Amino acid sequence: MNKHTLRWSAVALGTALAGVAAGYGLAQRQAIKMAVPVAPSQVERKPLYWYDPMVPNQHFDRGGKSPFMDMQLVPKYADEGGGERTAAVKLDPQQTQRLGMRLATVQRGSLPATVEAAGSLAWNEREVTVLQARANGFVQKVYQHAPGDTVAAGTPLADVLVPDWAGAQTEFLALQRSGDAALLEAARQRLRLLGMPPELIARLVQRGEAQPVITLTAPAGGVIQTLDLRTGMTLATGQTLARISSLASVWLDVAVPEALAGQLSTGAAASIHLAAFPGEVRRGRVVAILPEANAESRTLRVRIELGNRDGKLRPGMYAQVSLVAERAESALLVPSEALIRTGRRTLVMLAEAEGRYRPVEVRVGAEAAGQTVVLGGLAEGQRVVASGQFLLDSEASLSGITAPPLADAATEAQP
């Protein structure tokens, strides 16, 4: 083979190799394009929101790290069974059985005619006696009594010297011996104005001698609540010396939930079971429904007055009370355990056909014996989830399913 032939063969080989290399590069570029396709669905598939799987009820507008946990927020897409397209959570029978869900039917009825509540005995503040100093004086002797002691009317408490009474008594006795009836009556009136009790004036007339030291006695029987008497102390006119509460009757203060207070009225009958006397039932009637509610326990105080002739009832004793309430009109009732109270709204999980459940807002009324009156949002015969509703509500919230707001159909109370 000559040199000219060899040169042309080399040129042809180089050209062929260059073509192969160019074809291989083109094929590689085409393969890269085919390996990373741009799917229109991914471009159009936008998250509805981002959420923390540990706190699914909190939604975020953009991704990033969760403020609750050390983890990234997870996007939620509309085609994952959530969003506005899905109006209910769907469960198959096996899932329903595993969750232990229990359904209840919305029925028409009335709440029980009795209200069960707890209460405690208290002093009857209408039967309190206060002992005060009628004049300036000095305590010479104190009898052995202390707060908490039970005393009878007339029990001596202390001996007190009253200097102002000594001079007035001497003047009265002098006028009594003179026989001037008009002046004697004027002197008697002066003794009264000085605060001398009628029994002391009568004793002065009978004995005919001045009595500057008097004995203070209990004005009524009962329990000494306060006793401010000490030997040698100085007394001032109007100073409170003792406070005595009677045990002839006591009050029973009952804490009634404010949701049930509207069913009670003054005069309602009550059956009282005291823990101190098992098996014993006492009867009473509501004498007052106090106007102020307890802001912490959301209860109203209902007062019952009980006779205590035997003295067995003591303030502070605990009691269970059954109050006869006014019978309510027929209304829709659901189990109280079926309610989901969020703070702003009250929801139930409504059970529909084919294992579908959706949240529904309801307006509720009075509650008693585990039943709650439904004023709006449900119809008779519908079924709600009474057990396991919180799991369904969490799943619905995670899926973007929300209960539409309930139309405000509440009527204003008539004055």
Side-chain angles (χ1 to χ4, degrees), residues 200-351:
L200 181 58
I201 297 175
R203 191 160 57 247
L204 175 65
V205 174
Q206 181 182 5
R207 295 183 179 180
E209 59 181 9
Q211 300 179 35
V213 177
I214 65 168
T215 300
L216 298 180
T217 60
V223 178
I224 299 176
Q225 297 294 318
T226 60
L227 184 64
D228 190 12
L229 286 169
R230 299 293 183 272
T231 301
M233 69 182 295
T234 301
L235 303 182
T237 303
Q239 179 179 347
T240 299
L241 306 178
R243 178 185 175 92
I244 301 175
S245 297
S246 173
L247 275 175
S249 65
V250 294
W251 283 345
L252 173 59
D253 289 337
V254 185
V256 177
E258 60 181 351
L260 303 178
Q263 304 178 38
L264 299 176
S265 60
T266 303
S271 300
I272 300 103
H273 300 264
L274 292 160
F277 310 108
E280 183 177 331
V281 180
R282 294 185 179 241
R283 307 292 178 183
R285 290 193 176 275
V286 175
V287 297
I289 300 176
L290 303 190
E292 185 178 3
N294 188 311
E296 296 181 357
S297 61
R298 307 313 311 168
T299 58
L300 284 177
R301 271 202 304 161
V302 173
R303 178 172 295 161
I304 300 170
E305 188 169 327
L306 297 175
N308 189 28
R309 292 182 178 179
D310 54 7
K312 294 170 62 177
L313 302 182
R314 303 299 176 95
M317 285 183 173
Y318 175 80
Q320 282 286 347
V321 185
S322 298
L323 299 167
V324 179
E326 298 177 358
R327 183 166 293 278
E329 298 180 357
S330 179
L332 294 180
L333 301 178
V334 296
S336 301
E337 60 181 343
L339 302 178
I340 304 173
R341 303 182 188 271
T342 66
R344 295 186 303 108
R345 302 195 300 171
T346 302
L347 308 175
V348 296
M349 293 302 297
L350 183 64

Side-chain angles (χ1 to χ4, degrees), residues 128-149:
V128 176
T129 305
V130 175
L131 176 65
Q132 291 184 321
R134 290 173 171 262
N136 298 334
F138 308 94
V139 179
Q140 291 189 334
K141 177 183 177 181
V142 175
Y143 294 85
Q144 297 300 315
H145 293 293
D149 289 351

